[in-house]
PDB file of all heavy atoms in Angstrom:
ATOM      1  N   GLY A 162      37.240 168.247 425.370  1.00 92.00           N
ATOM      2  CA  GLY A 162      36.506 168.857 426.468  1.00 92.00           C
ATOM      3  C   GLY A 162      35.676 167.897 427.295  1.00 92.00           C
ATOM      4  O   GLY A 162      35.107 168.296 428.312  1.00 92.00           O
ATOM      5  N   THR A 163      35.605 166.639 426.888  1.00 95.00           N
ATOM      6  CA  THR A 163      34.726 165.697 427.580  1.00 95.00           C
ATOM      7  C   THR A 163      35.322 165.182 428.890  1.00 95.00           C
ATOM      8  O   THR A 163      36.545 165.107 429.040  1.00 95.00           O
ATOM      9  CB  THR A 163      34.394 164.503 426.669  1.00 95.00           C
ATOM     10  OG1 THR A 163      33.403 163.680 427.295  1.00 95.00           O
ATOM     11  CG2 THR A 163      35.632 163.659 426.390  1.00 95.00           C
ATOM     12  N   ASP A 164      34.444 164.836 429.825  1.00 95.00           N
ATOM     13  CA  ASP A 164      34.853 164.178 431.070  1.00 95.00           C
ATOM     14  C   ASP A 164      34.515 162.689 431.047  1.00 95.00           C
ATOM     15  O   ASP A 164      34.605 162.019 432.079  1.00 95.00           O
ATOM     16  CB  ASP A 164      34.171 164.840 432.275  1.00 95.00           C
ATOM     17  CG  ASP A 164      34.776 166.183 432.612  1.00 95.00           C
ATOM     18  OD1 ASP A 164      36.007 166.314 432.557  1.00 95.00           O
ATOM     19  OD2 ASP A 164      34.015 167.119 432.907  1.00 95.00           O
ATOM     20  N   TRP A 165      34.089 162.165 429.898  1.00 96.00           N
ATOM     21  CA  TRP A 165      33.781 160.748 429.784  1.00 96.00           C
ATOM     22  C   TRP A 165      34.959 159.919 430.293  1.00 96.00           C
ATOM     23  O   TRP A 165      36.118 160.263 430.011  1.00 96.00           O
ATOM     24  CB  TRP A 165      33.518 160.394 428.314  1.00 96.00           C
ATOM     25  CG  TRP A 165      33.321 158.928 428.099  1.00 96.00           C
ATOM     26  CD1 TRP A 165      32.161 158.238 428.182  1.00 96.00           C
ATOM     27  CD2 TRP A 165      34.341 157.960 427.779  1.00 96.00           C
ATOM     28  NE1 TRP A 165      32.385 156.902 427.945  1.00 96.00           N
ATOM     29  CE2 TRP A 165      33.723 156.704 427.703  1.00 96.00           C
ATOM     30  CE3 TRP A 165      35.713 158.032 427.576  1.00 96.00           C
ATOM     31  CZ2 TRP A 165      34.423 155.535 427.408  1.00 96.00           C
ATOM     32  CZ3 TRP A 165      36.430 156.874 427.291  1.00 96.00           C
ATOM     33  CH2 TRP A 165      35.780 155.629 427.215  1.00 96.00           C
ATOM     34  N   PRO A 166      34.700 158.832 430.990  1.00 95.00           N
ATOM     35  CA  PRO A 166      33.396 158.305 431.427  1.00 95.00           C
ATOM     36  C   PRO A 166      33.015 158.740 432.840  1.00 95.00           C
ATOM     37  O   PRO A 166      32.338 158.018 433.548  1.00 95.00           O
ATOM     38  CB  PRO A 166      33.636 156.799 431.374  1.00 95.00           C
ATOM     39  CG  PRO A 166      35.080 156.661 431.800  1.00 95.00           C
ATOM     40  CD  PRO A 166      35.788 157.869 431.254  1.00 95.00           C
ATOM     41  N   HIS A 167      33.461 159.939 433.221  1.00 95.00           N
ATOM     42  CA  HIS A 167      33.239 160.425 434.590  1.00 95.00           C
ATOM     43  C   HIS A 167      32.370 161.679 434.613  1.00 95.00           C
ATOM     44  O   HIS A 167      32.535 162.539 435.479  1.00 95.00           O
ATOM     45  CB  HIS A 167      34.581 160.702 435.263  1.00 95.00           C
ATOM     46  CG  HIS A 167      35.540 159.548 435.228  1.00 95.00           C
ATOM     47  ND1 HIS A 167      35.288 158.374 435.908  1.00 95.00           N
ATOM     48  CD2 HIS A 167      36.705 159.382 434.564  1.00 95.00           C
ATOM     49  CE1 HIS A 167      36.289 157.531 435.684  1.00 95.00           C
ATOM     50  NE2 HIS A 167      37.161 158.125 434.870  1.00 95.00           N
ATOM     51  N   SER A 168      31.446 161.787 433.665  1.00 96.00           N
ATOM     52  CA  SER A 168      30.635 163.000 433.586  1.00 96.00           C
ATOM     53  C   SER A 168      29.836 163.239 434.858  1.00 96.00           C
ATOM     54  O   SER A 168      29.711 164.378 435.323  1.00 96.00           O
ATOM     55  CB  SER A 168      29.690 162.920 432.384  1.00 96.00           C
ATOM     56  OG  SER A 168      30.419 162.973 431.170  1.00 96.00           O
ATOM     57  N   TRP A 169      29.298 162.160 435.441  1.00 96.00           N
ATOM     58  CA  TRP A 169      28.485 162.332 436.646  1.00 96.00           C
ATOM     59  C   TRP A 169      29.319 162.880 437.810  1.00 96.00           C
ATOM     60  O   TRP A 169      28.807 163.618 438.657  1.00 96.00           O
ATOM     61  CB  TRP A 169      27.801 161.026 437.040  1.00 96.00           C
ATOM     62  CG  TRP A 169      26.434 160.862 436.446  1.00 96.00           C
ATOM     63  CD1 TRP A 169      26.061 160.014 435.446  1.00 96.00           C
ATOM     64  CD2 TRP A 169      25.245 161.574 436.824  1.00 96.00           C
ATOM     65  NE1 TRP A 169      24.721 160.153 435.159  1.00 96.00           N
ATOM     66  CE2 TRP A 169      24.194 161.100 435.995  1.00 96.00           C
ATOM     67  CE3 TRP A 169      24.971 162.564 437.761  1.00 96.00           C
ATOM     68  CZ2 TRP A 169      22.891 161.578 436.093  1.00 96.00           C
ATOM     69  CZ3 TRP A 169      23.666 163.049 437.856  1.00 96.00           C
ATOM     70  CH2 TRP A 169      22.650 162.561 437.025  1.00 96.00           C
ATOM     71  N   GLU A 170      30.592 162.524 437.877  1.00 95.00           N
ATOM     72  CA  GLU A 170      31.435 163.039 438.950  1.00 95.00           C
ATOM     73  C   GLU A 170      31.584 164.551 438.843  1.00 95.00           C
ATOM     74  O   GLU A 170      31.490 165.283 439.839  1.00 95.00           O
ATOM     75  CB  GLU A 170      32.808 162.368 438.901  1.00 95.00           C
ATOM     76  CG  GLU A 170      32.761 160.880 439.207  1.00 95.00           C
ATOM     77  CD  GLU A 170      34.120 160.227 439.079  1.00 95.00           C
ATOM     78  OE1 GLU A 170      35.144 160.962 439.157  1.00 95.00           O
ATOM     79  OE2 GLU A 170      34.175 159.005 438.893  1.00 95.00           O
ATOM     80  N   THR A 171      31.811 165.044 437.629  1.00 95.00           N
ATOM     81  CA  THR A 171      31.910 166.494 437.421  1.00 95.00           C
ATOM     82  C   THR A 171      30.581 167.163 437.712  1.00 95.00           C
ATOM     83  O   THR A 171      30.524 168.232 438.350  1.00 95.00           O
ATOM     84  CB  THR A 171      32.339 166.796 435.979  1.00 95.00           C
ATOM     85  OG1 THR A 171      33.609 166.182 435.732  1.00 95.00           O
ATOM     86  CG2 THR A 171      32.446 168.294 435.740  1.00 95.00           C
ATOM     87  N   ILE A 172      29.497 166.551 437.259  1.00 97.00           N
ATOM     88  CA  ILE A 172      28.164 167.110 437.492  1.00 97.00           C
ATOM     89  C   ILE A 172      27.887 167.239 438.984  1.00 97.00           C
ATOM     90  O   ILE A 172      27.449 168.282 439.457  1.00 97.00           O
ATOM     91  CB  ILE A 172      27.100 166.231 436.807  1.00 97.00           C
ATOM     92  CG1 ILE A 172      27.170 166.417 435.285  1.00 97.00           C
ATOM     93  CG2 ILE A 172      25.702 166.561 437.327  1.00 97.00           C
ATOM     94  CD1 ILE A 172      26.384 165.384 434.505  1.00 97.00           C
ATOM     95  N   GLU A 173      28.154 166.184 439.730  1.00 95.00           N
ATOM     96  CA  GLU A 173      27.861 166.212 441.163  1.00 95.00           C
ATOM     97  C   GLU A 173      28.666 167.291 441.876  1.00 95.00           C
ATOM     98  O   GLU A 173      28.178 167.945 442.799  1.00 95.00           O
ATOM     99  CB  GLU A 173      28.126 164.841 441.791  1.00 95.00           C
ATOM    100  CG  GLU A 173      27.221 163.722 441.280  1.00 95.00           C
ATOM    101  CD  GLU A 173      25.752 163.906 441.660  1.00 95.00           C
ATOM    102  OE1 GLU A 173      25.419 164.892 442.333  1.00 95.00           O
ATOM    103  OE2 GLU A 173      24.940 163.053 441.270  1.00 95.00           O
ATOM    104  N   SER A 174      29.903 167.505 441.448  1.00 95.00           N
ATOM    105  CA  SER A 174      30.713 168.537 442.090  1.00 95.00           C
ATOM    106  C   SER A 174      30.202 169.931 441.776  1.00 95.00           C
ATOM    107  O   SER A 174      30.354 170.855 442.592  1.00 95.00           O
ATOM    108  CB  SER A 174      32.177 168.409 441.656  1.00 95.00           C
ATOM    109  OG  SER A 174      32.340 168.745 440.286  1.00 95.00           O
ATOM    110  N   ASN A 175      29.574 170.098 440.604  1.00 95.00           N
ATOM    111  CA  ASN A 175      29.049 171.406 440.205  1.00 95.00           C
ATOM    112  C   ASN A 175      27.624 171.654 440.680  1.00 95.00           C
ATOM    113  O   ASN A 175      27.174 172.801 440.684  1.00 95.00           O
ATOM    114  CB  ASN A 175      29.088 171.558 438.681  1.00 95.00           C
ATOM    115  CG  ASN A 175      30.494 171.698 438.147  1.00 95.00           C
ATOM    116  OD1 ASN A 175      31.403 172.114 438.855  1.00 95.00           O
ATOM    117  ND2 ASN A 175      30.688 171.343 436.885  1.00 95.00           N
ATOM    118  N   PHE A 176      26.910 170.599 441.038  1.00 97.00           N
ATOM    119  CA  PHE A 176      25.490 170.725 441.367  1.00 97.00           C
ATOM    120  C   PHE A 176      25.207 170.561 442.861  1.00 97.00           C
ATOM    121  O   PHE A 176      24.072 170.291 443.242  1.00 97.00           O
ATOM    122  CB  PHE A 176      24.674 169.687 440.583  1.00 97.00           C
ATOM    123  CG  PHE A 176      24.318 170.115 439.185  1.00 97.00           C
ATOM    124  CD1 PHE A 176      25.272 170.124 438.186  1.00 97.00           C
ATOM    125  CD2 PHE A 176      23.031 170.527 438.874  1.00 97.00           C
ATOM    126  CE1 PHE A 176      24.955 170.517 436.899  1.00 97.00           C
ATOM    127  CE2 PHE A 176      22.694 170.917 437.593  1.00 97.00           C
ATOM    128  CZ  PHE A 176      23.665 170.926 436.591  1.00 97.00           C
ATOM    129  N   GLN A 177      26.193 170.753 443.670  1.00 95.00           N
ATOM    130  CA  GLN A 177      25.956 170.633 445.102  1.00 95.00           C
ATOM    131  C   GLN A 177      24.933 171.674 445.553  1.00 95.00           C
ATOM    132  O   GLN A 177      25.053 172.852 445.261  1.00 95.00           O
ATOM    133  CB  GLN A 177      27.267 170.826 445.871  1.00 95.00           C
ATOM    134  CG  GLN A 177      28.272 169.714 445.643  1.00 95.00           C
ATOM    135  CD  GLN A 177      29.543 169.886 446.459  1.00 95.00           C
ATOM    136  OE1 GLN A 177      29.538 170.550 447.489  1.00 95.00           O
ATOM    137  NE2 GLN A 177      30.623 169.285 445.995  1.00 95.00           N
ATOM    138  N   GLY A 178      23.909 171.197 446.269  1.00 96.00           N
ATOM    139  CA  GLY A 178      22.870 172.088 446.759  1.00 96.00           C
ATOM    140  C   GLY A 178      21.778 172.415 445.765  1.00 96.00           C
ATOM    141  O   GLY A 178      20.820 173.118 446.102  1.00 96.00           O
ATOM    142  N   VAL A 179      21.874 171.919 444.538  1.00 97.00           N
ATOM    143  CA  VAL A 179      20.843 172.173 443.529  1.00 97.00           C
ATOM    144  C   VAL A 179      19.701 171.188 443.737  1.00 97.00           C
ATOM    145  O   VAL A 179      19.925 169.974 443.780  1.00 97.00           O
ATOM    146  CB  VAL A 179      21.416 172.029 442.103  1.00 97.00           C
ATOM    147  CG1 VAL A 179      20.315 172.215 441.065  1.00 97.00           C
ATOM    148  CG2 VAL A 179      22.542 173.037 441.883  1.00 97.00           C
ATOM    149  N   PRO A 180      18.454 171.666 443.862  1.00 96.00           N
ATOM    150  CA  PRO A 180      17.320 170.753 444.052  1.00 96.00           C
ATOM    151  C   PRO A 180      17.212 169.745 442.909  1.00 96.00           C
ATOM    152  O   PRO A 180      17.574 170.038 441.761  1.00 96.00           O
ATOM    153  CB  PRO A 180      16.109 171.697 444.072  1.00 96.00           C
ATOM    154  CG  PRO A 180      16.671 173.016 444.499  1.00 96.00           C
ATOM    155  CD  PRO A 180      18.042 173.080 443.903  1.00 96.00           C
ATOM    156  N   GLU A 181      16.694 168.570 443.225  1.00 95.00           N
ATOM    157  CA  GLU A 181      16.646 167.490 442.234  1.00 95.00           C
ATOM    158  C   GLU A 181      15.827 167.849 441.012  1.00 95.00           C
ATOM    159  O   GLU A 181      16.170 167.463 439.891  1.00 95.00           O
ATOM    160  CB  GLU A 181      16.108 166.214 442.884  1.00 95.00           C
ATOM    161  CG  GLU A 181      17.079 165.549 443.840  1.00 95.00           C
ATOM    162  CD  GLU A 181      18.378 165.144 443.157  1.00 95.00           C
ATOM    163  OE1 GLU A 181      18.316 164.521 442.079  1.00 95.00           O
ATOM    164  OE2 GLU A 181      19.452 165.466 443.697  1.00 95.00           O
ATOM    165  N   ASP A 182      14.712 168.571 441.186  1.00 96.00           N
ATOM    166  CA  ASP A 182      13.893 168.909 440.028  1.00 96.00           C
ATOM    167  C   ASP A 182      14.624 169.866 439.094  1.00 96.00           C
ATOM    168  O   ASP A 182      14.506 169.779 437.865  1.00 96.00           O
ATOM    169  CB  ASP A 182      12.541 169.492 440.461  1.00 96.00           C
ATOM    170  CG  ASP A 182      12.683 170.770 441.271  1.00 96.00           C
ATOM    171  OD1 ASP A 182      13.695 170.932 441.987  1.00 96.00           O
ATOM    172  OD2 ASP A 182      11.775 171.621 441.184  1.00 96.00           O
ATOM    173  N   GLU A 183      15.424 170.768 439.650  1.00 97.00           N
ATOM    174  CA  GLU A 183      16.189 171.698 438.824  1.00 97.00           C
ATOM    175  C   GLU A 183      17.329 170.972 438.118  1.00 97.00           C
ATOM    176  O   GLU A 183      17.631 171.229 436.948  1.00 97.00           O
ATOM    177  CB  GLU A 183      16.729 172.838 439.682  1.00 97.00           C
ATOM    178  CG  GLU A 183      15.627 173.710 440.290  1.00 97.00           C
ATOM    179  CD  GLU A 183      16.183 174.863 441.101  1.00 97.00           C
ATOM    180  OE1 GLU A 183      17.414 175.035 441.148  1.00 97.00           O
ATOM    181  OE2 GLU A 183      15.366 175.608 441.690  1.00 97.00           O
ATOM    182  N   LYS A 184      17.963 170.046 438.838  1.00 97.00           N
ATOM    183  CA  LYS A 184      19.032 169.249 438.243  1.00 97.00           C
ATOM    184  C   LYS A 184      18.501 168.456 437.046  1.00 97.00           C
ATOM    185  O   LYS A 184      19.142 168.407 435.986  1.00 97.00           O
ATOM    186  CB  LYS A 184      19.616 168.297 439.294  1.00 97.00           C
ATOM    187  CG  LYS A 184      20.777 167.457 438.784  1.00 97.00           C
ATOM    188  CD  LYS A 184      21.187 166.384 439.784  1.00 97.00           C
ATOM    189  CE  LYS A 184      21.735 166.970 441.059  1.00 97.00           C
ATOM    190  NZ  LYS A 184      22.269 165.894 441.952  1.00 97.00           N
ATOM    191  N   PHE A 185      17.333 167.857 437.218  1.00 96.00           N
ATOM    192  CA  PHE A 185      16.760 167.062 436.139  1.00 96.00           C
ATOM    193  C   PHE A 185      16.485 167.909 434.895  1.00 96.00           C
ATOM    194  O   PHE A 185      16.757 167.494 433.767  1.00 96.00           O
ATOM    195  CB  PHE A 185      15.473 166.384 436.603  1.00 96.00           C
ATOM    196  CG  PHE A 185      14.754 165.654 435.500  1.00 96.00           C
ATOM    197  CD1 PHE A 185      15.224 164.444 435.028  1.00 96.00           C
ATOM    198  CD2 PHE A 185      13.625 166.196 434.904  1.00 96.00           C
ATOM    199  CE1 PHE A 185      14.589 163.770 433.997  1.00 96.00           C
ATOM    200  CE2 PHE A 185      12.976 165.545 433.872  1.00 96.00           C
ATOM    201  CZ  PHE A 185      13.462 164.321 433.418  1.00 96.00           C
ATOM    202  N   LYS A 186      15.951 169.112 435.091  1.00 97.00           N
ATOM    203  CA  LYS A 186      15.666 169.984 433.946  1.00 97.00           C
ATOM    204  C   LYS A 186      16.925 170.241 433.122  1.00 97.00           C
ATOM    205  O   LYS A 186      16.920 170.121 431.898  1.00 97.00           O
ATOM    206  CB  LYS A 186      15.094 171.317 434.424  1.00 97.00           C
ATOM    207  CG  LYS A 186      13.638 171.291 434.795  1.00 97.00           C
ATOM    208  CD  LYS A 186      13.154 172.705 435.136  1.00 97.00           C
ATOM    209  CE  LYS A 186      11.674 172.712 435.480  1.00 97.00           C
ATOM    210  NZ  LYS A 186      11.204 174.095 435.773  1.00 97.00           N
ATOM    211  N   ILE A 187      17.989 170.607 433.798  1.00 98.00           N
ATOM    212  CA  ILE A 187      19.216 170.994 433.101  1.00 98.00           C
ATOM    213  C   ILE A 187      19.896 169.797 432.459  1.00 98.00           C
ATOM    214  O   ILE A 187      20.447 169.896 431.355  1.00 98.00           O
ATOM    215  CB  ILE A 187      20.166 171.704 434.088  1.00 98.00           C
ATOM    216  CG1 ILE A 187      19.540 173.021 434.575  1.00 98.00           C
ATOM    217  CG2 ILE A 187      21.526 171.963 433.446  1.00 98.00           C
ATOM    218  CD1 ILE A 187      20.291 173.675 435.720  1.00 98.00           C
ATOM    219  N   LEU A 188      19.873 168.666 433.111  1.00 98.00           N
ATOM    220  CA  LEU A 188      20.631 167.494 432.662  1.00 98.00           C
ATOM    221  C   LEU A 188      19.856 166.580 431.717  1.00 98.00           C
ATOM    222  O   LEU A 188      20.469 165.745 431.049  1.00 98.00           O
ATOM    223  CB  LEU A 188      21.099 166.693 433.869  1.00 98.00           C
ATOM    224  CG  LEU A 188      22.016 167.439 434.848  1.00 98.00           C
ATOM    225  CD1 LEU A 188      22.346 166.553 436.038  1.00 98.00           C
ATOM    226  CD2 LEU A 188      23.296 167.906 434.155  1.00 98.00           C
ATOM    227  N   ALA A 189      18.541 166.725 431.668  1.00 97.00           N
ATOM    228  CA  ALA A 189      17.760 165.829 430.805  1.00 97.00           C
ATOM    229  C   ALA A 189      16.441 166.436 430.350  1.00 97.00           C
ATOM    230  O   ALA A 189      16.084 166.339 429.170  1.00 97.00           O
ATOM    231  CB  ALA A 189      17.494 164.505 431.527  1.00 97.00           C
ATOM    232  N   GLY A 190      15.686 167.042 431.254  1.00 96.00           N
ATOM    233  CA  GLY A 190      14.314 167.438 430.948  1.00 96.00           C
ATOM    234  C   GLY A 190      14.185 168.448 429.835  1.00 96.00           C
ATOM    235  O   GLY A 190      13.326 168.308 428.946  1.00 96.00           O
ATOM    236  N   ASN A 191      15.004 169.496 429.845  1.00 97.00           N
ATOM    237  CA  ASN A 191      14.907 170.517 428.801  1.00 97.00           C
ATOM    238  C   ASN A 191      15.228 169.931 427.434  1.00 97.00           C
ATOM    239  O   ASN A 191      14.546 170.216 426.443  1.00 97.00           O
ATOM    240  CB  ASN A 191      15.855 171.686 429.104  1.00 97.00           C
ATOM    241  CG  ASN A 191      15.466 172.448 430.352  1.00 97.00           C
ATOM    242  OD1 ASN A 191      14.298 172.474 430.741  1.00 97.00           O
ATOM    243  ND2 ASN A 191      16.444 173.077 430.995  1.00 97.00           N
TER     244      ASN A 191
END
């Protein structure tokens, strides 16, 4: 199920229009 080593590419395609603070919470902060 992994997208390694292109995880950021998948993330960017799914997170279009998501504010940076919300993106950070989901991807690292929580």
Side-chain angles (χ1 to χ4, degrees):
T163 187
D164 285 319
W165 175 88
H167 307 294
S168 292
W169 268 108
E170 294 177 21
T171 301
I172 288 167
E173 296 294 359
S174 69
N175 290 336
F176 276 74
Q177 293 183 24
V179 177
E181 288 300 312
D182 61 329
E183 296 182 3
K184 182 189 295 186
F185 174 75
K186 281 185 178 182
I187 296 170
L188 300 177
N191 294 333

